[in-house]
Coordinates of all heavy atoms in Angstrom, one line a residue:
M10 N 170.3 95.6 -82.5 CA 170.6 94.8 -81.4 C 171.5 93.6 -81.9 O 171.2 92.9 -82.8 CB 169.3 94.2 -80.8 CG 169.5 93.4 -79.6 SD 167.9 93.2 -78.8 CE 168.0 91.5 -78.3
T11 N 172.6 93.4 -81.2 CA 173.6 92.4 -81.5 C 173.1 91.0 -80.9 O 172.8 91.0 -79.7 CB 175.0 92.7 -81.0 OG1 175.3 94.0 -81.5 CG2 176.0 91.7 -81.5
N12 N 173.2 90.0 -81.7 CA 172.8 88.7 -81.2 C 174.1 87.9 -80.9 O 174.7 87.4 -81.7 CB 172.0 87.9 -82.3 CG 171.5 86.6 -81.8 OD1 171.6 86.3 -80.6 ND2 171.0 85.8 -82.7
R13 N 174.4 87.9 -79.6 CA 175.6 87.2 -79.1 C 175.2 86.0 -78.4 O 174.3 86.0 -77.6 CB 176.4 88.1 -78.2 CG 177.0 89.3 -78.9 CD 177.9 90.0 -78.0 NE 178.4 91.2 -78.7 CZ 179.3 92.0 -78.2 NH1 179.8 91.8 -77.0 NH2 179.7 93.0 -78.9
T14 N 175.9 84.9 -78.6 CA 175.7 83.7 -77.9 C 176.4 83.8 -76.6 O 177.6 84.0 -76.5 CB 176.2 82.5 -78.7 OG1 175.6 82.5 -80.0 CG2 175.9 81.2 -78.0
Q15 N 175.6 83.6 -75.5 CA 176.1 83.6 -74.2 C 176.6 82.2 -73.8 O 176.0 81.2 -74.2 CB 175.1 84.0 -73.2 CG 174.6 85.5 -73.4 CD 175.7 86.4 -73.1 OE1 176.5 86.2 -72.2 NE2 175.8 87.5 -73.9
P16 N 177.8 82.1 -73.1 CA 178.2 80.8 -72.7 C 177.2 80.2 -71.7 O 176.5 81.0 -71.0 CB 179.5 81.0 -72.0 CG 179.5 82.5 -71.7 CD 178.6 83.1 -72.7
P17 N 177.1 78.9 -71.7 CA 176.1 78.3 -70.7 C 176.5 78.7 -69.3 O 177.7 78.9 -69.0 CB 176.2 76.8 -70.9 CG 177.5 76.6 -71.6 CD 177.8 77.9 -72.4
A18 N 175.5 78.8 -68.4 CA 175.8 79.1 -67.0 C 176.7 78.0 -66.4 O 176.5 76.8 -66.8 CB 174.5 79.2 -66.3
D19 N 177.5 78.4 -65.5 CA 178.4 77.4 -64.8 C 177.5 76.5 -64.0 O 176.9 77.0 -63.0 CB 179.4 78.2 -64.0 CG 180.4 77.3 -63.2 OD1 180.1 76.1 -63.1 OD2 181.3 77.9 -62.7
P20 N 177.4 75.2 -64.3 CA 176.6 74.3 -63.5 C 177.1 74.1 -62.1 O 176.5 73.6 -61.2 CB 176.6 73.0 -64.2 CG 177.8 73.0 -65.1 CD 178.1 74.5 -65.4
Y21 N 178.4 74.6 -61.8 CA 179.0 74.5 -60.5 C 179.2 75.9 -59.9 O 180.2 76.1 -59.2 CB 180.3 73.7 -60.7 CG 180.2 72.4 -61.3 CD1 180.4 72.2 -62.7 CD2 179.9 71.3 -60.6 CE1 180.2 71.0 -63.3 CE2 179.7 70.0 -61.2 CZ 179.9 69.9 -62.5 OH 179.8 68.7 -63.1
Q22 N 178.3 76.8 -60.2 CA 178.5 78.2 -59.8 C 178.9 78.4 -58.4 O 179.7 79.2 -58.1 CB 177.2 78.9 -60.1 CG 177.3 80.4 -59.9 CD 176.0 81.1 -60.4 OE1 175.1 80.4 -60.9 NE2 176.0 82.4 -60.2
D23 N 178.3 77.7 -57.4 CA 178.6 77.9 -56.0 C 179.5 76.8 -55.5 O 179.5 76.6 -54.2 CB 177.3 77.9 -55.2 CG 176.4 79.1 -55.7 OD1 177.0 80.2 -56.0 OD2 175.2 79.0 -55.8
V24 N 180.2 76.2 -56.3 CA 181.1 75.0 -55.9 C 182.6 75.4 -56.1 O 182.9 76.0 -57.2 CB 180.8 73.8 -56.8 CG1 181.7 72.6 -56.4 CG2 179.3 73.4 -56.6
P25 N 183.4 75.2 -55.1 CA 184.8 75.5 -55.3 C 185.5 74.7 -56.4 O 185.0 73.6 -56.7 CB 185.4 75.1 -53.9 CG 184.3 75.0 -53.0 CD 183.1 74.7 -53.8
T26 N 186.5 75.3 -57.0 CA 187.1 74.7 -58.2 C 187.7 73.3 -57.7 O 187.8 72.4 -58.6 CB 188.2 75.6 -58.7 OG1 187.5 76.8 -59.2 CG2 188.9 75.0 -59.9
T27 N 188.2 73.2 -56.5 CA 188.7 71.9 -56.1 C 187.7 70.8 -56.2 O 188.0 69.7 -56.5 CB 189.2 72.0 -54.6 OG1 188.2 72.5 -53.8 CG2 190.4 72.9 -54.5
V28 N 186.4 71.1 -55.9 CA 185.3 70.1 -56.0 C 185.0 69.9 -57.4 O 184.8 68.7 -57.8 CB 184.1 70.6 -55.2 CG1 182.9 69.6 -55.4 CG2 184.4 70.8 -53.7
V29 N 185.1 70.9 -58.3 CA 184.9 70.7 -59.7 C 186.0 69.7 -60.2 O 185.7 68.8 -61.0 CB 184.9 72.0 -60.5 CG1 184.8 71.8 -62.0 CG2 183.8 72.9 -60.0
F30 N 187.2 69.9 -59.8 CA 188.3 69.0 -60.2 C 188.0 67.6 -59.7 O 188.3 66.7 -60.5 CB 189.7 69.5 -59.6 CG 190.8 68.6 -60.0 CD1 191.3 68.7 -61.3 CD2 191.3 67.7 -59.1 CE1 192.4 67.8 -61.6 CE2 192.3 66.8 -59.5 CZ 192.9 66.9 -60.7
D31 N 187.5 67.4 -58.5 CA 187.1 66.1 -58.1 C 186.1 65.5 -59.0 O 186.2 64.3 -59.4 CB 186.6 66.1 -56.7 CG 187.6 66.4 -55.6 OD1 188.8 66.3 -55.9 OD2 187.3 66.7 -54.5
E32 N 185.1 66.2 -59.4 CA 184.1 65.7 -60.4 C 184.7 65.4 -61.7 O 184.4 64.4 -62.3 CB 183.0 66.8 -60.5 CG 181.9 66.4 -61.5 CD 181.0 65.2 -60.9 OE1 181.0 65.0 -59.7 OE2 180.4 64.5 -61.7
F33 N 185.6 66.2 -62.2 CA 186.4 66.0 -63.4 C 187.1 64.6 -63.3 O 187.1 63.8 -64.2 CB 187.4 67.1 -63.6 CG 188.5 66.9 -64.6 CD1 188.3 67.2 -65.9 CD2 189.7 66.5 -64.2 CE1 189.3 67.0 -66.9 CE2 190.8 66.3 -65.1 CZ 190.5 66.6 -66.5
S34 N 187.8 64.4 -62.2 CA 188.5 63.2 -62.0 C 187.6 62.0 -61.9 O 187.9 60.9 -62.5 CB 189.4 63.2 -60.7 OG 190.3 64.2 -60.8
E35 N 186.5 62.1 -61.2 CA 185.5 61.0 -61.1 C 184.9 60.6 -62.5 O 184.8 59.5 -62.8 CB 184.4 61.3 -60.1 CG 184.9 61.3 -58.7 CD 185.2 59.9 -58.2 OE1 184.5 58.9 -58.6 OE2 186.2 59.8 -57.4
T36 N 184.6 61.7 -63.2 CA 184.1 61.5 -64.6 C 185.1 60.7 -65.5 O 184.7 59.8 -66.2 CB 183.6 62.8 -65.2 OG1 182.7 63.5 -64.3 CG2 182.9 62.6 -66.5
A37 N 186.3 61.2 -65.4 CA 187.4 60.5 -66.2 C 187.5 59.1 -65.8 O 187.7 58.2 -66.6 CB 188.7 61.3 -66.1
T38 N 187.5 58.8 -64.5 CA 187.6 57.5 -64.0 C 186.5 56.6 -64.5 O 186.7 55.4 -64.9 CB 187.7 57.5 -62.5 OG1 188.9 58.2 -62.1 CG2 187.8 56.1 -61.9
T39 N 185.3 57.1 -64.4 CA 184.1 56.3 -64.9 C 184.3 56.0 -66.4 O 184.0 54.8 -66.8 CB 182.8 57.1 -64.6 OG1 182.7 57.3 -63.2 CG2 181.6 56.4 -65.2
L40 N 184.6 57.0 -67.2 CA 184.8 56.7 -68.6 C 185.9 55.8 -68.9 O 185.8 54.9 -69.7 CB 185.0 58.1 -69.3 CG 185.0 58.0 -70.9 CD1 183.8 57.3 -71.4 CD2 185.2 59.4 -71.4
T41 N 187.0 55.9 -68.2 CA 188.1 55.0 -68.3 C 187.7 53.5 -68.0 O 188.0 52.6 -68.8 CB 189.3 55.3 -67.4 OG1 189.8 56.6 -67.7 CG2 190.4 54.4 -67.5
G42 N 186.9 53.4 -67.0 CA 186.4 52.0 -66.7 C 185.5 51.5 -67.8 O 185.6 50.3 -68.1
L43 N 184.7 52.3 -68.4 CA 183.8 51.8 -69.5 C 184.7 51.5 -70.7 O 184.5 50.4 -71.4 CB 182.8 52.9 -69.9 CG 181.7 53.1 -68.9 CD1 180.9 54.4 -69.3 CD2 180.8 51.9 -68.9
Y44 N 185.7 52.3 -71.0 CA 186.6 52.0 -72.1 C 187.3 50.7 -71.9 O 187.5 49.8 -72.7 CB 187.6 53.1 -72.3 CG 187.1 54.4 -73.0 CD1 187.9 55.5 -72.9 CD2 185.9 54.4 -73.7 CE1 187.5 56.7 -73.5 CE2 185.5 55.6 -74.3 CZ 186.3 56.8 -74.2 OH 186.0 57.9 -74.8
N45 N 187.8 50.5 -70.6 CA 188.6 49.3 -70.3 C 187.7 48.1 -70.4 O 188.2 47.0 -70.9 CB 189.2 49.5 -68.9 CG 190.2 48.5 -68.6 OD1 191.0 48.1 -69.4 ND2 190.2 48.0 -67.3
S46 N 186.5 48.2 -69.9 CA 185.6 47.1 -70.0 C 185.3 46.7 -71.5 O 185.3 45.5 -71.8 CB 184.3 47.5 -69.3 OG 183.3 46.4 -69.5
R47 N 185.1 47.7 -72.3 CA 184.9 47.4 -73.7 C 186.2 46.8 -74.4 O 186.1 45.9 -75.2 CB 184.6 48.7 -74.5 CG 183.3 49.4 -74.1 CD 182.1 48.7 -74.8 NE 180.8 49.2 -74.4 CZ 180.0 49.9 -75.1 NH1 180.3 50.2 -76.3 NH2 178.9 50.3 -74.6
S48 N 187.3 47.2 -73.9 CA 188.6 46.7 -74.5 C 188.7 45.2 -74.1 O 188.9 44.3 -74.9 CB 189.8 47.4 -73.9 OG 191.0 46.8 -74.3
K49 N 188.4 44.9 -72.8 CA 188.5 43.5 -72.4 C 187.4 42.6 -73.0 O 187.7 41.4 -73.2 CB 188.3 43.4 -70.8 CG 189.5 44.0 -70.1 CD 189.3 43.9 -68.6 CE 190.6 44.4 -67.9 NZ 190.4 44.3 -66.4
G50 N 186.3 43.2 -73.4 CA 185.2 42.4 -73.9 C 185.2 42.4 -75.5 O 184.4 41.7 -76.1
A51 N 186.2 43.0 -76.1 CA 186.2 43.1 -77.5 C 186.5 41.7 -78.1 O 187.2 40.9 -77.6 CB 187.3 44.0 -78.0
A52 N 185.9 41.4 -79.2 CA 185.9 40.1 -79.9 C 187.2 39.9 -80.7 O 187.6 38.8 -80.9 CB 184.8 39.9 -80.8
T53 N 187.9 41.0 -81.0 CA 189.1 40.9 -81.8 C 190.3 41.7 -81.2 O 190.0 42.6 -80.3 CB 188.9 41.5 -83.2 OG1 188.7 42.9 -83.1 CG2 187.8 40.8 -83.9
A54 N 191.5 41.4 -81.6 CA 192.6 42.2 -81.1 C 192.5 43.6 -81.5 O 192.9 44.5 -80.8 CB 193.9 41.5 -81.6
E55 N 192.0 43.8 -82.7 CA 191.9 45.2 -83.2 C 190.9 46.0 -82.4 O 191.1 47.2 -82.1 CB 191.5 45.2 -84.7 CG 192.5 44.7 -85.7 CD 192.5 43.1 -85.7 OE1 191.6 42.5 -85.3 OE2 193.5 42.6 -86.2
G56 N 189.8 45.3 -82.0 CA 188.8 46.0 -81.2 C 189.4 46.3 -79.8 O 189.2 47.4 -79.3
R57 N 190.1 45.4 -79.2 CA 190.8 45.6 -77.9 C 191.7 46.8 -78.0 O 191.7 47.7 -77.1 CB 191.5 44.4 -77.5 CG 190.6 43.3 -76.9 CD 191.4 42.2 -76.2 NE 192.2 41.4 -77.2 CZ 191.7 40.5 -78.0 NH1 190.4 40.2 -77.9 NH2 192.5 39.8 -78.8
E58 N 192.5 46.8 -79.1 CA 193.5 47.9 -79.2 C 192.7 49.3 -79.4 O 193.2 50.3 -78.9 CB 194.4 47.7 -80.4 CG 195.5 48.7 -80.6 CD 196.5 48.3 -81.6 OE1 196.7 47.1 -81.9 OE2 197.1 49.2 -82.2
E59 N 191.7 49.3 -80.2 CA 190.9 50.5 -80.4 C 190.4 51.1 -79.1 O 190.5 52.3 -78.8 CB 189.7 50.2 -81.3 CG 188.9 51.4 -81.6 CD 187.7 51.1 -82.6 OE1 187.8 50.2 -83.4 OE2 186.6 51.7 -82.4
W60 N 189.8 50.3 -78.3 CA 189.3 50.7 -77.0 C 190.5 51.1 -76.0 O 190.4 52.1 -75.3 CB 188.4 49.7 -76.3 CG 187.1 49.6 -77.0 CD1 186.6 48.6 -77.8 CD2 186.0 50.6 -76.9 NE1 185.4 48.9 -78.3 CE2 185.0 50.2 -77.8 CE3 185.9 51.8 -76.3 CZ2 183.8 50.9 -77.9 CZ3 184.7 52.6 -76.5 CH2 183.7 52.1 -77.3
W61 N 191.6 50.4 -76.1 CA 192.7 50.7 -75.2 C 193.3 52.0 -75.7 O 193.8 52.8 -74.8 CB 193.7 49.6 -75.3 CG 194.8 49.9 -74.2 CD1 196.1 50.2 -74.5 CD2 194.7 49.9 -72.8 NE1 196.8 50.4 -73.3 CE2 195.9 50.2 -72.3 CE3 193.6 49.7 -72.0 CZ2 196.2 50.3 -70.9 CZ3 193.8 49.8 -70.6 CH2 195.1 50.1 -70.1
D62 N 193.3 52.3 -77.0 CA 193.8 53.6 -77.5 C 193.0 54.7 -76.9 O 193.5 55.8 -76.6 CB 193.8 53.7 -79.0 CG 194.9 52.8 -79.6 OD1 195.8 52.4 -78.9 OD2 194.8 52.6 -80.8
K63 N 191.7 54.5 -76.7 CA 190.8 55.5 -76.1 C 191.1 55.7 -74.6 O 191.1 56.9 -74.1 CB 189.3 55.1 -76.3 CG 188.8 55.2 -77.7 CD 187.3 54.8 -77.7 CE 186.8 55.0 -79.1 NZ 186.2 56.3 -79.3
V64 N 191.5 54.6 -73.9 CA 191.9 54.8 -72.5 C 193.1 55.7 -72.5 O 193.2 56.6 -71.6 CB 192.2 53.4 -71.9 CG1 192.9 53.5 -70.6 CG2 191.0 52.5 -71.8
M65 N 194.1 55.4 -73.3 CA 195.3 56.2 -73.3 C 195.1 57.7 -73.7 O 195.7 58.6 -73.1 CB 196.4 55.6 -74.2 CG 196.9 54.2 -73.8 SD 197.8 54.2 -72.2 CE 196.6 53.8 -71.1
A66 N 194.3 57.9 -74.7 CA 193.9 59.3 -75.1 C 193.2 60.0 -74.0 O 193.5 61.2 -73.7 CB 193.1 59.3 -76.4
L67 N 192.3 59.3 -73.3 CA 191.7 60.0 -72.2 C 192.6 60.3 -71.0 O 192.6 61.4 -70.4 CB 190.5 59.0 -71.6 CG 189.8 59.5 -70.4 CD1 189.0 60.8 -70.8 CD2 188.8 58.5 -70.0
R68 N 193.5 59.4 -70.8 CA 194.6 59.6 -69.8 C 195.4 60.9 -70.1 O 195.6 61.7 -69.3 CB 195.5 58.4 -69.7 CG 196.6 58.6 -68.6 CD 197.8 57.7 -68.9 NE 198.4 58.1 -70.1 CZ 199.4 57.4 -70.7 NH1 199.9 56.3 -70.1 NH2 199.9 57.8 -71.8
D69 N 195.8 61.0 -71.4 CA 196.6 62.1 -71.8 C 195.7 63.4 -71.7 O 196.3 64.5 -71.3 CB 197.1 61.9 -73.2 CG 198.1 60.8 -73.4 OD1 198.6 60.3 -72.3 OD2 198.3 60.3 -74.5
A70 N 194.5 63.4 -72.1 CA 193.6 64.6 -72.0 C 193.4 65.0 -70.5 O 193.5 66.2 -70.2 CB 192.3 64.3 -72.6
R71 N 193.3 64.0 -69.7 CA 193.1 64.3 -68.3 C 194.3 65.0 -67.7 O 194.2 65.9 -66.9 CB 192.8 63.0 -67.5 CG 192.6 63.1 -66.1 CD 192.3 61.7 -65.5 NE 192.0 61.8 -64.1 CZ 191.6 60.8 -63.3 NH1 191.5 59.6 -63.9 NH2 191.4 60.9 -62.1
R72 N 195.5 64.5 -68.1 CA 196.7 65.1 -67.6 C 197.0 66.5 -68.1 O 197.7 67.2 -67.5 CB 197.9 64.1 -67.9 CG 197.9 62.8 -67.2 CD 199.1 62.0 -67.6 NE 199.1 60.8 -66.8 CZ 200.0 59.8 -67.0 NH1 200.8 59.9 -68.0 NH2 199.9 58.7 -66.2
A73 N 196.5 66.8 -69.3 CA 196.7 68.0 -69.9 C 195.9 69.2 -69.4 O 196.2 70.4 -69.6 CB 196.4 67.9 -71.4
V74 N 194.9 68.9 -68.6 CA 194.0 70.0 -68.1 C 194.6 70.4 -66.7 O 194.6 69.6 -65.8 CB 192.6 69.5 -67.9 CG1 191.7 70.6 -67.3 CG2 192.0 69.1 -69.3
P75 N 194.9 71.7 -66.6 CA 195.4 72.2 -65.3 C 194.2 72.1 -64.3 O 193.1 72.4 -64.6 CB 195.7 73.6 -65.6 CG 195.9 73.7 -67.1 CD 195.0 72.7 -67.6
A76 N 194.6 71.7 -63.1 CA 193.6 71.6 -62.0 C 192.9 72.9 -61.6 O 191.8 72.8 -61.1 CB 194.3 71.0 -60.7
H77 N 193.5 74.0 -62.0 CA 192.8 75.3 -61.7 C 192.0 75.9 -62.8 O 191.4 76.9 -62.7 CB 193.9 76.3 -61.2 CG 194.9 76.6 -62.3 ND1 196.0 75.8 -62.6 CD2 194.9 77.6 -63.2 CE1 196.6 76.3 -63.6 NE2 196.0 77.4 -64.1
D78 N 192.0 75.2 -64.0 CA 191.4 75.8 -65.2 C 189.9 75.3 -65.2 O 189.5 74.3 -65.8 CB 192.1 75.3 -66.4 CG 191.5 76.1 -67.7 OD1 190.4 76.5 -67.7 OD2 192.3 76.2 -68.6
R79 N 189.1 76.1 -64.5 CA 187.7 75.7 -64.2 C 186.9 75.5 -65.6 O 186.2 74.6 -65.7 CB 187.1 76.8 -63.4 CG 185.7 76.6 -62.9 CD 185.2 77.7 -62.1 NE 183.9 77.4 -61.5 CZ 183.7 76.9 -60.4 NH1 184.7 76.5 -59.6 NH2 182.5 76.6 -60.0
D80 N 187.1 76.4 -66.5 CA 186.4 76.3 -67.8 C 186.7 75.0 -68.5 O 185.8 74.3 -69.0 CB 186.7 77.5 -68.7 CG 186.1 78.8 -68.2 OD1 185.2 78.7 -67.4 OD2 186.6 79.8 -68.6
Q81 N 188.0 74.6 -68.6 CA 188.4 73.3 -69.2 C 187.8 72.1 -68.4 O 187.4 71.2 -69.0 CB 189.9 73.2 -69.3 CG 190.5 73.9 -70.5 CD 191.9 73.5 -70.8 OE1 192.1 72.3 -71.1 NE2 192.9 74.4 -70.7
L82 N 187.9 72.2 -67.1 CA 187.4 71.1 -66.3 C 185.9 70.9 -66.6 O 185.5 69.8 -66.8 CB 187.6 71.5 -64.8 CG 189.0 71.6 -64.2 CD1 189.0 72.1 -62.8 CD2 189.7 70.2 -64.3
I83 N 185.1 72.0 -66.6 CA 183.7 71.9 -66.8 C 183.4 71.4 -68.3 O 182.5 70.5 -68.5 CB 183.0 73.2 -66.6 CG1 183.1 73.5 -65.1 CG2 181.6 73.3 -67.1 CD1 182.7 74.9 -64.7
A84 N 184.2 71.9 -69.2 CA 184.0 71.4 -70.6 C 184.2 69.9 -70.7 O 183.5 69.2 -71.4 CB 184.9 72.2 -71.6
H85 N 185.3 69.4 -70.1 CA 185.6 68.0 -70.2 C 184.6 67.2 -69.4 O 184.2 66.1 -69.9 CB 187.0 67.7 -69.6 CG 188.1 68.0 -70.6 ND1 188.6 69.3 -70.9 CD2 188.7 67.2 -71.5 CE1 189.5 69.2 -71.8 NE2 189.6 67.9 -72.2
I86 N 184.1 67.7 -68.3 CA 183.1 67.0 -67.5 C 181.8 66.8 -68.4 O 181.3 65.7 -68.5 CB 182.7 67.7 -66.2 CG1 183.8 67.6 -65.2 CG2 181.4 67.1 -65.6 CD1 183.6 68.6 -64.0
A87 N 181.4 67.9 -69.1 CA 180.2 67.8 -70.0 C 180.5 66.8 -71.1 O 179.6 66.0 -71.4 CB 179.9 69.2 -70.5
Q88 N 181.6 66.9 -71.8 CA 181.9 66.0 -72.9 C 182.0 64.6 -72.5 O 181.4 63.7 -73.1 CB 183.3 66.4 -73.5 CG 183.8 65.5 -74.6 CD 185.2 65.8 -75.0 OE1 185.7 66.9 -74.7 NE2 185.9 64.9 -75.6
W89 N 182.7 64.3 -71.4 CA 182.8 62.9 -70.9 C 181.5 62.4 -70.4 O 181.2 61.2 -70.6 CB 183.9 62.8 -69.9 CG 185.3 63.1 -70.4 CD1 185.7 63.1 -71.8 CD2 186.4 63.5 -69.7 NE1 187.0 63.4 -71.9 CE2 187.5 63.7 -70.6 CE3 186.7 63.7 -68.4 CZ2 188.8 64.1 -70.3 CZ3 188.0 64.1 -68.0 CH2 189.0 64.3 -68.9
T90 N 180.7 63.2 -69.8 CA 179.4 62.8 -69.3 C 178.5 62.3 -70.4 O 177.8 61.3 -70.4 CB 178.7 63.9 -68.4 OG1 179.5 64.1 -67.3 CG2 177.3 63.4 -68.0
R91 N 178.5 63.1 -71.5 CA 177.8 62.7 -72.7 C 178.2 61.4 -73.2 O 177.4 60.5 -73.6 CB 177.9 63.8 -73.8 CG 177.0 65.0 -73.6 CD 177.0 65.9 -74.8 NE 178.3 66.4 -75.2 CZ 178.9 67.5 -74.7 NH1 178.4 68.2 -73.8 NH2 180.1 67.8 -75.2
E92 N 179.5 61.2 -73.3 CA 180.1 59.9 -73.8 C 179.7 58.7 -72.9 O 179.4 57.7 -73.4 CB 181.6 60.0 -74.0 CG 182.1 58.8 -74.7 CD 183.4 59.0 -75.5 OE1 183.8 60.2 -75.5 OE2 183.8 58.1 -76.1
I93 N 179.8 59.0 -71.6 CA 179.4 57.9 -70.6 C 177.9 57.5 -70.9 O 177.6 56.3 -70.9 CB 179.6 58.4 -69.2 CG1 181.1 58.5 -68.9 CG2 178.8 57.5 -68.2 CD1 181.4 59.3 -67.6
E94 N 177.1 58.5 -71.0 CA 175.6 58.3 -71.3 C 175.4 57.5 -72.5 O 174.6 56.6 -72.6 CB 174.9 59.6 -71.3 CG 174.8 60.2 -69.9 CD 174.3 61.7 -70.0 OE1 174.1 62.2 -71.1 OE2 174.0 62.2 -68.9
E95 N 176.2 57.8 -73.6 CA 176.0 57.1 -74.9 C 176.5 55.7 -74.7 O 175.8 54.8 -75.2 CB 176.9 57.8 -76.0 CG 176.3 59.2 -76.4 CD 177.2 59.9 -77.3 OE1 178.2 59.3 -77.8 OE2 177.0 61.1 -77.6
L96 N 177.6 55.5 -74.1 CA 178.1 54.1 -73.9 C 177.2 53.3 -73.0 O 176.9 52.1 -73.4 CB 179.5 54.1 -73.3 CG 180.6 54.6 -74.2 CD1 181.9 54.8 -73.4 CD2 180.9 53.6 -75.3
E97 N 176.7 53.8 -72.0 CA 175.8 53.1 -71.1 C 174.4 52.8 -71.8 O 173.8 51.8 -71.6 CB 175.5 53.9 -69.8 CG 176.7 53.8 -68.9 CD 176.6 54.7 -67.6 OE1 175.7 55.6 -67.6 OE2 177.3 54.4 -66.7
S98 N 174.0 53.8 -72.6 CA 172.8 53.6 -73.4 C 172.9 52.4 -74.4 O 172.1 51.6 -74.6 CB 172.4 54.9 -74.1 OG 171.3 54.7 -74.9
S99 N 174.1 52.4 -75.1 CA 174.3 51.3 -76.0 C 174.5 50.0 -75.4 O 174.2 49.0 -76.0 CB 175.6 51.6 -76.9 OG 176.8 51.5 -76.1
E100 N 174.9 49.9 -74.1 CA 175.0 48.6 -73.4 C 173.6 48.1 -73.1 O 173.3 46.9 -73.1 CB 175.7 48.8 -72.1 CG 177.2 49.0 -72.3 CD 178.0 49.2 -71.0 OE1 177.3 49.4 -69.9 OE2 179.2 49.2 -71.0
R101 N 172.6 49.0 -72.8 CA 171.3 48.6 -72.5 C 170.5 48.3 -73.7 O 169.6 47.5 -73.7 CB 170.6 49.8 -71.7 CG 171.0 49.9 -70.3 CD 170.3 51.0 -69.6 NE 171.3 52.1 -69.4 CZ 171.1 53.3 -69.6 NH1 169.9 53.8 -69.9 NH2 172.0 54.2 -69.4
G102 N 170.8 49.0 -74.8 CA 169.9 48.9 -76.0 C 170.4 47.8 -76.9 O 169.9 47.0 -77.5

């Protein structure tokens, strides 16, 4: 018996790709806001630049994903959601 890893189930299985794209956009916007907030609140110019570089990298990543590529949209939503959770957790802790 072959042990193959199955991809995770599509969490948006019954949702049109256009709605998945909306979620992708909203997630990117939320993460951009967190990065921007960190940039503005940084104690040093280097810190501000580091966070601003993340804003620009996120912008570029967002633009690189085709609106119809469901797999990439979902992968980015998952990645960015984890990062949002980590940033929000570090703000509380």
Side-chain angles (χ1 to χ4, degrees):
M10 185 167 138
T11 305
N12 184 10
R13 294 184 182 187
T14 303
Q15 295 294 323
D19 181 347
Y21 303 96
Q22 186 173 358
D23 298 322
V24 176
T26 300
T27 55
V28 176
V29 175
F30 179 77
D31 288 345
E32 181 68 21
F33 166 86
S34 295
E35 287 293 321
T36 305
T38 298
T39 299
L40 185 54
T41 298
L43 288 169
Y44 286 165
N45 193 40
S46 177
R47 294 280 175 110
S48 176
K49 289 180 178 181
T53 65
E55 293 81 15
R57 282 188 294 281
E58 186 172 330
E59 180 181 326
W60 286 106
W61 187 247
D62 287 345
K63 288 179 179 270
V64 170
M65 294 293 100
L67 178 62
R68 180 202 63 188
D69 294 345
R71 182 179 182 177
R72 289 178 177 175
V74 176
H77 64 276
D78 191 332
R79 189 177 183 92
D80 291 338
Q81 279 196 60
L82 295 171
I83 292 169
H85 279 82
I86 291 167
Q88 173 189 342
W89 294 340
T90 298
R91 283 190 302 273
E92 188 150 0
I93 289 166
E94 290 168 354
E95 290 172 11
L96 288 171
E97 289 176 340
S98 176
S99 70
E100 286 178 353
R101 285 180 252 139

